[in-house]
C-alpha cells in the first residue's frame, strides 16, 4: 500500500497506526510516499511500522522512474507471503 502523510481528514501517521493495529492487515507492506523530507517524519513512520519511506520527486519524469523502480522491487524482487502462508 502506498500512503501519503498529507491527507485531508486524518494524517498518514494516524492511518498507519490504525492499519497496523488490525492483525488482518499488519502483514501488508505500507510504503510512505510523500513530499516531506523531514527526518522526524521518516523516524515516526518507521516507528509506526512503515515498510519504507520515499520522498516524491518534483520532476514528473523522476516521479515516474521512482514508481517503476518501486514496482520492480516490491512486485518482482521482494518475496511476500502468499495467502497460504497466512494460515
Amino acid at each position: 500500500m502506498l500512503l501519503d502523510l498529507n491527507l485531508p481528514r486524518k494524517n498518514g501517521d494516524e492511518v498507519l497506526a490504525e492499519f497496523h493495529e488490525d492483525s488482518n492487515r499488519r502483514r501488508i507492506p505500507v510504503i510512505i510516499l510523500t513530499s516531506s523530507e523531514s527526518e522526524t517524519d521518516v523516524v515516526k513512520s518507521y516507528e509506526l511500522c512503515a515498510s519504507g519511506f520515499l520522498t516524491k520527486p518534483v520532476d514528473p519524469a523522476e516521479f515516474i522512474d521512482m514508481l517503476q523502480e518501486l514496482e520492480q522491487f516490491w512486485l518482482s524482487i521482494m518475496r511476500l507471503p502468499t495467502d497460504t502462508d497466512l494460515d
Side-chain angles (χ1 to χ4, degrees):
M1 176 171 90
L2 297 177
L3 177 64
D4 197 334
L5 295 179
N6 304 310
L7 300 172
R9 294 192 189 144
K10 288 184 181 183
N11 68 42
D13 293 335
E14 293 171 315
V15 173
L16 187 58
E18 290 175 10
F19 193 84
H20 283 285
E21 287 174 6
D22 182 339
S23 63
N24 292 322
R25 295 185 270 176
R26 189 173 295 142
R27 294 182 182 174
I28 298 171
V30 179
I31 308 300
I32 303 301
L33 181 60
T34 186
S35 58
S36 174
E37 294 183 3
S38 164
E39 184 66 19
T40 302
D41 287 340
V42 174
V43 170
K44 188 171 184 180
S45 295
Y46 282 111
E47 286 175 349
L48 293 169
C49 301
S51 302
F53 189 102
L54 299 171
T55 300
K56 295 177 192 174
V58 176
D59 180 82
E62 289 178 21
F63 182 66
I64 290 169
D65 289 343
M66 175 191 276
L67 291 178
Q68 289 172 337
E69 289 177 26
L70 181 69
E71 176 186 30
Q72 172 73 19
F73 180 75
W74 283 102
L75 300 179
S76 299
I77 297 171
M78 286 297 298
R79 179 162 182 226
L80 300 171
T82 63
D83 290 340
T84 57
D85 293 335
L86 301 176
D87 295 334

